Amino acid sequence: MIQVCGYAAQNAKSPLTYFSFERREPREYDVIVDIHYCGICHSDIHQVNDEWGGSTFPMVPGHEITGIVSKVGAKVTRYKLGDRVAVGNFVDSCRKCGPCQKGLEQYCEEGATWTYNSVEKADGKETIPTQGGYSNKIVVDENYVLSIPDNLPLDSSAPLLCAGITLYSPLMHWKAGPGKKVAIIGLGGLGHIGVKFAHTLGAEVTVLSHSLKKQEEAKKLGADNFYATSERDTFKKLARYFDVIINTVSVELDLDRYMKLLALDGTMVIVGLPEKKFQVGAFPLANTRRSLAGSVIGGLKETQEMLDFCSENNIACDIELIPVQKVNEAYRRVLNSDVRYRFVIDVMNSLKCKD
Ligand code: NAP
Ligand code: ZN
Ligand code: ZN
């Protein structure tokens, strides 16, 4: 085992504090990544607070990881020492089922091994808990590591590994592009990169935000239109307007109101994962042959494609870089929608292991 350190929640809802722990000794196909940066995703907060059920503790969150390869196992061919790499939401999967064979490892039928709040497997048997990127090093099979193109900065690319791919995948699947009217509900970590992608893909992009506070910034990110959902007229003006709506909001919304904003054959894609259930009426769905869909992150192949797309189009996230000691304050600000637009932990410069 190798000794590492990070920040962990010891129990549900408890603040994150310094934590020493062990990771597996690298196997022949493993690389060790020295973590430089890790984004703070709202999913980290849901899981620390055990809002989805089944959280295990101690928990070191973090699945938006970038860093440098510092060691490679004997049989590693994809990476060498010094490579700029990334690790996202999962670190393994069964590799045999239909979804895995299609490069859709996030939908692995046996369940992907998530980067944290999950259990590592060796020879099919469960071993030690996985721990995430608010830590100094991670050991990952080379096949589950992504490559960061040279022109992308390691800090502002970190959130691409979750926020980025979570928006890129449905935008590609539902063919956002010229002639398509796309709305994004919630201008947070996911929403802001979704606006950049949809704009770059040539779609008409509208932000539906719960207040007017982010209006000017949304335009700079590439939004064509901006509406506050708190304004009375918004839902009337936009009735039957959109081809695709992507809902990134972390709390449950009155979905029926938003379904009515879809045009004939329009699709509402749920990517936000609130604790509570949605209620959906049959009429807003059936009336104009609308679809209600969902999507989770993206597979390895598509995640690399997204990173290359960002490289070609010079896209990265708008971030606030913080030392790891400020993680609890950052959580409070995320919950108040007070981040522009992703916190990224400067792991390399702020986390010092005590032993
Ligand atoms: P975030 O940065 O907190 O953004 C969420 C946005 O939702 C906020 O910026 C805010 O936007 C809006 N919002 C928050 N509270 C609201 C309220 N009470 N009423 C209306 N709108 C509200 O979070 P994130 O990291 O982007 O994640 C968003 C959600 O996606 C979380 O539930 C997360 O777990 C989930 N997620 C899913 C996947 C996936 O694969 N499906 C991947 C990553 C994250 P405005 O200020 O513009 O209204
Ligand atoms: Zn995430
Ligand atoms: Zn599988």
Side-chain angles (χ1 to χ4, degrees):
M1 303 289 269
I2 62 166
Q3 194 63 38
V4 294
C5 75
Y7 265 58
Q10 294 296 331
N11 299 290
K13 299 189 170 64
S14 64
L16 276 67
T17 51
Y18 182 84
F19 179 57
S20 254
F21 62 104
E22 290 180 327
R23 293 199 184 272
R24 71 168 182 251
E25 201 59 47
R27 305 176 193 141
E28 49 193 9
Y29 290 104
D30 282 345
V31 300
I32 298 186
V33 179
D34 282 359
I35 297 175
H36 284 214
Y37 300 101
C38 186
I40 295 180
C41 176
H42 206 118
S43 301
D44 301 345
I45 304 177
H46 288 308
Q47 289 176 92
V48 163
N49 291 340
D50 198 13
E51 288 167 1
W52 297 340
S55 282
T56 54
F57 298 91
M59 181 194 295
V60 179
H63 55 213
E64 294 185 335
I65 299 166
T66 56
I68 303 285
V69 173
S70 63
K71 193 169 179 183
V72 294
K75 294 199 175 156
V76 168
T77 55
R78 294 167 68 103
Y79 297 103
K80 58 182 187 326
L81 291 191
D83 281 353
R84 303 164 87 243
V85 293
V87 180
N89 278 264
F90 54 90
V91 287
D92 207 350
S93 64
C94 86
R95 309 178 191 207
K96 294 187 285 265
C97 71
C100 279
Q101 295 279 318
K102 287 189 197 136
L104 295 167
E105 299 86 357
Q106 75 276 31
Y107 302 120
C108 174
E109 288 169 2
E110 288 185 17
T113 304
W114 305 108
T115 303
Y116 67 88
N117 200 16
S118 187
V119 183
E120 289 190 1
K121 290 196 191 92
D123 305 323
K125 291 199 190 87
E126 296 199 334
T127 57
I128 56 169
T130 57
Q131 299 290 9
Y134 304 0
S135 64
N136 67 323
K137 286 175 197 288
I138 191 164
V139 181
V140 187
D141 184 300
E142 62 169 339
N143 292 302
Y144 290 76
V145 173
L146 288 309
S147 176
I148 296 281
D150 284 342
N151 65 330
L152 291 183
L154 284 185
D155 54 0
S156 53
S157 317
L160 295 173
L161 275 298
C162 177
I165 186 61
T166 299
L167 270 288
Y168 182 84
S169 186
L171 287 168
M172 298 307 282
H173 187 80
W174 279 279
K175 301 191 168 50
K180 284 274 171 77
K181 292 173 179 155
V182 174
I184 295 187
I185 316 177
L187 195 63
L190 269 55
H192 96 285
I193 190 72
V195 170
K196 291 190 188 194
F197 287 160
H199 172 72
T200 306
L201 290 167
E204 182 195 294
V205 194
T206 301
V207 170
L208 303 174
S209 191
H210 73 290
S211 73
L212 282 168
K213 282 187 206 155
K214 300 173 182 170
Q215 184 162 21
E216 288 315 308
E217 293 158 27
K219 298 270 166 78
K220 284 188 202 137
L221 293 168
D224 298 287
N225 311 302
F226 183 100
Y227 290 90
T229 50
S230 52
E231 301 279 299
R232 226 192 266 157
D233 283 353
T234 295
F235 289 88
K236 222 192 250 172
K237 275 192 208 147
L238 297 175
R240 299 187 180 220
Y241 189 76
F242 299 107
D243 301 303
V244 180
I245 301 179
I246 303 194
N247 175 13
T248 77
V249 176
S250 49
V251 296
E252 72 286 0
L253 295 176
D254 177 358
L255 266 198
D256 282 354
R257 294 181 83 202
Y258 291 86
M259 291 301 297
K260 291 176 189 164
L261 306 186
L262 287 169
L264 175 68
D265 289 330
T267 304
M268 162 84 69
V269 186
I270 305 292
V271 296
L273 301 169
E275 182 180 9
K276 295 199 184 121
K277 287 185 181 171
F278 294 112
Q279 293 244 347
V280 188
F283 281 93
L285 259 176
N287 266 347
T288 34
R289 204 164 57 182
R290 295 166 174 132
S291 301
L292 178 58
S295 183
V296 167
I297 46 170
L300 292 162
K301 187 165 171 278
E302 193 174 40
T303 304
Q304 191 62 58
E305 178 190 306
M306 178 270 313
L307 290 168
D308 297 341
F309 174 85
C310 289
S311 167
E312 279 153 32
N313 294 285
N314 270 311
I315 297 177
C317 297
D318 289 19
I319 62 161
E320 292 189 41
L321 199 61
I322 56 159
V324 68
Q325 293 77 9
K326 292 224 164 142
V327 66
N328 297 303
E329 185 187 324
Y331 275 24
R332 283 191 288 277
R333 285 187 49 201
V334 171
L335 290 170
N336 288 328
S337 306
D338 175 28
V339 45
R340 301 295 191 270
Y341 277 93
R342 196 59 139 189
F343 285 114
V344 171
I345 303 172
D346 186 354
V347 175
M348 181 182 54
N349 290 311
S350 64
L351 177 64
K352 306 284 173 229
C353 291
K354 291 174 188 166
D355 37 35

